[in-house]
Amino acid sequence: MNKTIVAILTAFIPNKKSKEAWKHKLTKIDLGSMVNKGIAELIAGVIPHKMTRNQWRGILRYGVFKGLRLRYFLKKHKYITPEHYLSICAIAKNEGPYFEEWITWHRNLGVEKFYIYDNESTDNTKEVLEPYIKAGLVEYTFWPGMKQQLMTYDHCLEKHRLHTRWIAVIDLDEFIVPIKDKSIPDFLKRFEEFAAVEINWLVYGSGGAKYKEKGKVMERFKKHSRPEEWANRHVKSIVDPRRVFSFIGCHEVARSSGKTADPHGNVVTQHFRDREPQQDVIRINHYAVKSYEEFLQKRSRGRARALEQRDLGYFDWLDLNDITEE
C-alpha cells in the first residue's frame, strides 16, 4: 500500500532526480498510518470541545473495531500480573553519549525496564546500550523510517500491555524528578485508579554555554525557566497500558477506560495548554537545548515526529535561564 501511495504522490513531479529523492523520502514514512490519522483528524475535527475532540482523534486513529478486540483481549487476560511496575519507552537517534546518565537516573528512582527504539542511529548507541541489553534492563528495537515517534509509542503499548503496570513515555533530554516522594513508583501508588498521569516540564536553558563540555547534563545545566513559563504547560504522560488505546500526540493518550490525572490527583478536564503548570509534586526536567553546539547537533539529527528540521528559533524559545538551581 505504501508503494502505491508514493507512486500517486510523485507521479506529477517532472524532474526525475527530484522524483527519486521524494520517493526515497516518502518510502521511509508509514503513509497508510498518515492517511488513517488524516481521516481521524477530519472526523474528530467537527467536535467543538477540545478534550473530547482529542480523545476521539486517538480512538479513531487506533480503529473502533481494533479497540473492541483490544477490550476483549484485556478482559480475557485481566488476571495476569505484570512483570514490572514501571517502565520507560523512548525513541532515540544518535543519543549515545546521553544514555548512561539518563538510564542511571531513572533506574535509581524505580524504573525497572527501558524499551528503547533506535531510529537509525549512526553513532555508538548500540554499543553503549549493549551492557544494559545483556543485563535485561533494556529491550532494544531498531526502528527505521521518518515520522516514527507515534508508531513506536503505539508499538510499545501493544507489545507490553501485559508486561508492565505503568509506562512513562519521555525523551532522552527529559528526566523525571519526584519532589515529594523518594521514587517515581511511590508517587504512582496514589494514582492506580487512573489510566494516565500528565506531568509538566520545567525547561532548562543553555546557561550561556556555546560548546559541549565534559560532564553530566544535570550537572552542566543549572539554570531553568520560571515555573509559570508558558512552555512548561507541556506535559508528558505515564500511562497504564491496559487502559489506553494509543497516543494522540507525544504528550497525551486516548483512553479506553478510566480518567487522566494531574500530579495533584485532580481529574484533567482541560487541555494541557490551557492549564497552569504544576511542578511542586513531580516534574520533568527538560534539557531541550543544552549548549548551542549540542542544539545544532540535535537539529541536524532531524525530528522523530516531523519531516522538517527544527527552526533556529527553537533555541531562542527554550533557552530559558531565569532561575539558578540551588
Side-chain angles (χ1 to χ4, degrees), residues 204 222-224 283 323-326:
Y204 281 67
K222 291 291 189 179
K223 293 187 176 183
H224 61 73
R283 71 183 192 228
I323 298 171
T324 301
E325 184 177 72
E326 294 181 5

Side-chain angles (χ1 to χ4, degrees), residues 200-247:
N200 285 103
W201 281 353
L202 183 64
V203 174
Y204 281 67
S206 69
K210 299 296 182 184
Y211 304 102
K212 182 180 179 181
E213 298 177 355
K214 291 182 179 180
K216 297 178 180 179
V217 170
M218 298 185 81
E219 293 173 352
R220 289 192 288 134
F221 303 103
K222 291 291 189 179
K223 293 187 176 183
H224 61 73
S225 56
R226 291 174 289 107
E228 67 274 15
E229 179 70 42
W230 190 89
N232 291 329
R233 294 189 179 199
H234 287 78
V235 298
K236 286 299 180 75
S237 295
I238 304 179
V239 307
D240 177 352
R242 301 190 190 201
R243 288 193 280 180
V244 300
F245 287 122
S246 62
F247 271 78

Side-chain angles (χ1 to χ4, degrees), residues 60 126 243:
L60 290 168
K126 184 68 184 295
R243 288 193 280 180

Side-chain angles (χ1 to χ4, degrees), residues 33-313:
S33 295
M34 287 187 66
V35 170
N36 190 42
K37 182 180 179 183
I39 294 171
E41 293 281 342
L42 188 65
I43 296 173
V46 301
I47 301 172
H49 184 254
K50 187 186 292 185
M51 292 288 291
T52 306
R53 183 169 66 245
N54 279 355
Q55 176 71 6
W56 273 101
R57 181 180 288 132
I59 293 171
L60 290 168
R61 190 173 73 83
Y62 186 76
V64 175
F65 292 109
K66 187 179 175 183
L68 292 173
R69 289 196 300 270
L70 175 62
R71 280 179 174 272
Y72 174 77
F73 171 80
L74 292 174
K75 185 177 181 181
K76 186 178 177 181
H77 296 88
K78 65 180 179 180
Y79 295 112
I80 293 178
T81 303
E83 301 169 44
H84 313 294
Y85 187 75
L86 174 60
S87 304
I88 284 180
C89 172
I91 181 172
K93 183 173 184 175
N94 293 341
E95 300 270 12
Y98 303 106
F99 269 108
E100 183 179 357
E101 177 188 2
W102 184 81
I103 288 175
T104 300
W105 173 268
H106 289 104
R107 190 181 183 186
N108 287 340
L109 287 171
V111 176
E112 300 168 35
K113 191 78 173 184
F114 297 83
Y115 304 119
I116 304 300
Y117 290 81
D118 181 354
N119 189 207
E120 300 183 321
S121 292
T122 56
D123 67 352
N124 64 339
T125 286
K126 184 68 184 295
E127 181 184 344
V128 170
L129 290 177
E130 197 62 43
Y132 302 109
I133 297 169
K134 288 181 178 178
L137 184 64
V138 166
E139 181 176 302
Y140 172 90
T141 303
F142 185 78
W143 192 280
M146 301 175 71
K147 289 195 70 171
Q148 295 296 307
Q149 187 172 35
L150 294 188
M151 284 69 168
T152 58
Y153 292 170
D154 290 348
H155 180 272
C156 187
L157 287 175
E158 292 293 342
K159 186 176 181 181
H160 299 294
R161 291 190 189 280
L162 303 180
H163 299 160
T164 183
R165 178 63 179 79
W166 294 99
I167 299 179
V169 181
I170 60 174
D171 296 326
L172 266 289
D173 58 3
E174 297 173 328
F175 292 72
I176 303 173
V177 182
I179 305 300
K180 293 192 174 180
D181 297 279
K182 291 183 178 180
S183 71
I184 306 167
D186 285 348
F187 164 79
L188 290 170
K189 291 289 186 183
R190 302 194 296 274
F191 291 83
E192 294 191 345
E193 66 183 280
F194 294 99
V197 187
E198 293 182 353
I199 303 174
N200 285 103
W201 281 353
L202 183 64
V203 174
Y204 281 67
S206 69
K210 299 296 182 184
Y211 304 102
K212 182 180 179 181
E213 298 177 355
K214 291 182 179 180
K216 297 178 180 179
V217 170
M218 298 185 81
E219 293 173 352
R220 289 192 288 134
F221 303 103
K222 291 291 189 179
K223 293 187 176 183
H224 61 73
S225 56
R226 291 174 289 107
E228 67 274 15
E229 179 70 42
W230 190 89
N232 291 329
R233 294 189 179 199
H234 287 78
V235 298
K236 286 299 180 75
S237 295
I238 304 179
V239 307
D240 177 352
R242 301 190 190 201
R243 288 193 280 180
V244 300
F245 287 122
S246 62
F247 271 78
I248 300 166
C250 62
H251 302 284
E252 53 191 337
V253 288
R255 303 177 310 278
S256 57
S257 64
K259 302 289 185 181
T260 297
D262 67 21
H264 289 169
N266 302 311
V267 174
V268 168
T269 57
Q270 291 180 297
H271 189 264
F272 62 83
R273 290 190 178 93
D274 300 323
R275 309 193 308 260
E276 291 297 322
Q278 301 173 356
Q279 297 119 344
D280 57 326
V281 177
I282 194 169
R283 71 183 192 228
I284 292 177
N285 286 12
H286 187 201
Y287 301 90
V289 296
K290 303 185 182 76
S291 66
Y292 191 68
E293 179 185 16
E294 287 166 285
F295 164 70
L296 293 178
Q297 291 171 350
K298 176 179 180 175
R299 182 173 182 266
S300 68
R301 290 196 295 266
R303 303 169 70 182
R305 65 184 180 92
L307 295 179
E308 70 277 3
Q309 283 189 327
R310 287 178 176 82
D311 188 272
L312 290 172

